[in-house]
């Protein structure tokens, strides 16, 4: 029988003990020092807690004595659903944002010009908002390119402050191509639209949250060759609006506190509350309609659903590389993401499309698809 294991074990124990003894020599004073530090910290924390409690008490006394809270610490009241008496007439007069997918640029290079401008935009009947825009509208223009095309972007900043543009469809160094552009300045950059889908573009200047909430976003469709043919294609960009005033007189601006708390006054498809209720999208019985949906946020998702049918093909997350899912009821389009959905509706009628997160419907995220030129409307 070998003695090696026993000898090794004893030798090992002996070394282990000696190492421990040396280590403990260093460790014990260290533990004492830590203990002393913790005791002092606890004492300080206790003092700080007492001071905080006293100052909270003082603050509550001063608030009850009618001092207003500091500006920006409380959201303004909700202006959700505010509608003037002539809201229906105003909604009819409003020129709906064109939802039909525009033709793709021809040739190997798609030239995209984005002009940044501060503009007052209408976001609901009689409700105005001081927006920062790409191309004077919020959302900005729909861009349609073919997979593999080069996209040459010219960005001109006609706004009052620094802006930029971030294309989710691009794979580039953002510190270079998405860099800030000063007011009055212009820049160009390009990328190859190698990945198909529908992507968000938006201003990325810090805080991007504020620039997106103020209207600086849009959609770019990168269409692959192999998509099933359809009869109608529509682009919907969802977004929220957070108002510091009703906007029915002077235009409203951003309420940052509401935006941070994600309590919008309005949620819209293509920038205007329920505009496709008064100006429905159209198709005919038996035709297939494709929705290219982007959720610009800045913060809430869209749970895309078409009432009276199912999503026959659903390219979740706008993944056009893999096969679509089939026959699903509702698809999530995440903030900052996209989705592509086909519906084929055999029967004439009026089919609402919504975010099935229904608070958003109450705030304006609803439209109608009129199949077969049917008279009437449909509320949801
Ligand atoms: Cu911006």
């Amino acid at each position: 029988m070998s003695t090696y294991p026993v000898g090794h074990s004893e030798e090992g124990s002996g070394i282990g003990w000696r190492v421990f003894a040396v280590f403990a020599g260093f460790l014990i004073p260290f533990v004492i020092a830590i203990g002393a530090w913790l005791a002092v910290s606890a004492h300080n924390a206790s003092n700080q807690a007492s001071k905080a409690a006293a100052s909270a008490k003082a603050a509550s006394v001063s608030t009850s004595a009618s001092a207003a809270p500091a500006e920006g610490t409380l959201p303004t009241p909700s202006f959700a659903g505010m509608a003037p008496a002539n809201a229906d007439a105003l909604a009819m007069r409003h020129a709906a944002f064109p939802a039909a997918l525009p033709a793709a640029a021809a040739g190997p290079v798609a030239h995209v010009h984005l002009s940044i401008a501060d503009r007052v935009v209408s976001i609901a009947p009689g409700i105005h908002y001081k927006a920062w825009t790409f191309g004077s509208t919020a959302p900005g223009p729909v861009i349609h390119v073919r997979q593999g095309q080069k996209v040459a972007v010219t960005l001109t900043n006609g706004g009052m402050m620094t802006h930029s543009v971030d294309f989710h469809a691009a794979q580039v160094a953002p510190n270079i191509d998405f860099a800030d552009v000063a007011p009055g300045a212009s820049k160009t950059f390009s990328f190859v639209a190698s990945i198909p889908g529908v992507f968000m573009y938006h201003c990325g200047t810090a805080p991007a949250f504020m620039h997106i909430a103020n209207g600086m976003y849009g959609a770019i469709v990168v269409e692959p060759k192999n998509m099933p043919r359809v009869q109608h294609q529509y682009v919907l960009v969802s977004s929220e609006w957070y108002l510091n005033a009703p906007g029915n007189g002077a235009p409203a601006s951003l309420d940052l506190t509401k935006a941070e708390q994600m309590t919008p006054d309005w949620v819209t498809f293509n920038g205007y509350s329920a505009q496709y209720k008064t100006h429905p999208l159209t198709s005919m019985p038996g035709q297939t309609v494709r929705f290219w949906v982007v959720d610009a946020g800045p913060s809430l998702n869209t749970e895309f659903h078409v009432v009276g049918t199912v999503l026959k093909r659903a390219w979740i997350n706008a993944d056009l590389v893999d096969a679509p899912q089939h026959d699903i009821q509702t698809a999530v389009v995440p903030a900052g993401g996209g989705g592509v959905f086909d519906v084929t509706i055999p029967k004439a009628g009026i089919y609402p499309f919504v975010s099935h997160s229904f608070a958003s419907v109450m705030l304006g995220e609803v439209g109608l698809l009129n199949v077969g030129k049917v008279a009437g409307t449909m509320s949801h």
Side-chain angles (χ1 to χ4, degrees), residues 116 132-134 157 161-165 180 202-208 210-212 214 216:
I116 293 166
W132 305 340
T133 71
F134 289 112
N157 187 357
M161 67 176 73
T162 297
H163 295 291
S164 59
V165 68
D180 287 348
H202 65 90
C203 179
T205 298
M210 191 184 285
H211 289 249
I212 294 169
N214 269 329
M216 301 194 77

Side-chain angles (χ1 to χ4, degrees), residues 93-247:
R93 271 213 303 266
H94 166 71
F97 187 96
L101 177 68
V109 182
H111 293 276
V112 173
H113 298 271
L114 289 174
S115 296
I116 293 166
D118 300 328
R119 287 282 184 274
V120 172
V121 297
S122 285
I123 60 167
I127 308 299
H128 298 98
Y129 187 90
K130 275 183 173 169
W132 305 340
T133 71
F134 289 112
S136 300
T137 59
V142 173
I143 301 164
H144 182 190
V145 303
R146 305 269 179 213
Q147 183 182 6
Q149 258 183 327
K150 184 175 170 181
V151 183
V153 180
T154 303
L155 184 68
T156 304
N157 187 357
M160 299 289 287
M161 67 176 73
T162 297
H163 295 291
S164 59
V165 68
D166 167 340
F167 276 91
H168 289 191
Q171 293 168 286
V172 296
N175 59 311
I176 299 167
D177 288 334
F178 301 163
D180 287 348
V181 177
S186 200
K187 74 177 281 188
T188 60
F189 68 97
S190 63
F191 64 93
V192 176
S194 55
I195 299 171
V198 59
F199 297 88
M200 181 180 180
Y201 68 84
H202 65 90
C203 179
T205 298
F209 175 53
M210 191 184 285
H211 289 249
I212 294 169
N214 269 329
M216 301 194 77
Y217 46 78
I220 175 170
V221 170
V222 181
E223 192 174 353
K225 285 197 176 77
N226 59 349
M227 293 289 279
R229 287 180 59 82
V230 296
Q231 285 70 49
H232 299 276
Q233 302 196 70
Y234 297 116
V235 181
L236 299 174
V237 178
S238 163
S239 62
E240 308 113 51
W241 297 94
Y242 301 91
L243 275 56
N244 71 342

